Amino acid sequence: MTAVGEHPHMVIRNADPVADAAACAAIYAPYVTDTTITFEEVAPSAQEFTRRIETAQVHHAWLVGEVDGVIIGYTYGGTYRPRAAYRWSCETSVYLDRGRRGAGRGRTLYLALLDRLGEMGFRTAVAGATLPNDASERMHADLGFETIGVFRRVGYKFDRWCDVTWVQRDL
């Protein structure tokens, strides 16, 4: 499937767990090593990304965005909570190559995921973002997410405590 609107040249498709794992790992690694956007402290390997993609695709989705045949970002949905009562809700995330941010591609990619999850029957998407993160807060608000709360000082990375805001959106 191809994205429409702002980025007609970006192709959005289902991730291939083996062929796309290294590109996804490479996009994610700087977020791990250089930011508090994720609380992981060691960048996962391509093999770990293969496992993550396969797991997400069992009940949810993992999509990649390509420009000129190069993966520039990915987005995925996963289990929000394991209890059966939460089975119609999912947790979502999106990562873009850091040199490609700010042009709306992440929004286009993320919107494709939200549409896909809605088509799959999911009712609610939730997402967490470490604060401060103006770009993520703005994108989520623009896509109709509402803030549901802030968990204060719940993550510790780079010798400091971090807050995480949680947002949700009906699908």
Side-chain angles (χ1 to χ4, degrees), residues 52-136:
R52 291 179 185 192
I53 294 167
E54 289 172 341
T55 299
Q57 290 177 338
V58 171
H59 297 291
H60 299 85
W62 188 301
L63 306 176
V64 294
E66 291 181 333
V67 173
D68 298 326
V70 175
I71 294 174
I72 63 152
Y74 66 90
T75 185
Y76 62 92
T79 302
Y80 168 62
R81 294 283 186 261
R83 292 196 172 91
Y86 297 113
R87 69 185 166 276
W88 305 114
S89 298
C90 54
E91 189 172 339
T92 58
S93 198
V94 61
Y95 288 92
L96 228 55
D97 179 282
R98 291 180 73 191
R100 307 278 188 144
R101 295 183 312 174
R105 290 181 187 99
R107 178 185 320 240
T108 300
L109 185 56
Y110 204 32
L111 189 57
L113 173 72
L114 298 172
D115 289 346
R116 173 77 60 87
L117 293 169
E119 291 166 3
M120 294 173 72
F122 290 98
R123 304 281 306 208
T124 304
V126 299
T130 307
L131 297 175
N133 189 334
D134 294 338
S136 180

Side-chain angles (χ1 to χ4, degrees), residues 151-156 161-164:
F151 292 178
R152 303 282 179 206
R153 297 169 302 284
V154 295
Y156 188 79
W161 289 101
C162 302
D163 297 346
V164 175

Side-chain angles (χ1 to χ4, degrees), residues 29-44:
Y31 289 96
V32 174
T33 59
D34 303 338
T35 77
T36 58
I37 288 173
T38 175
F39 289 151
E40 288 197 70
E41 294 180 340
V42 176

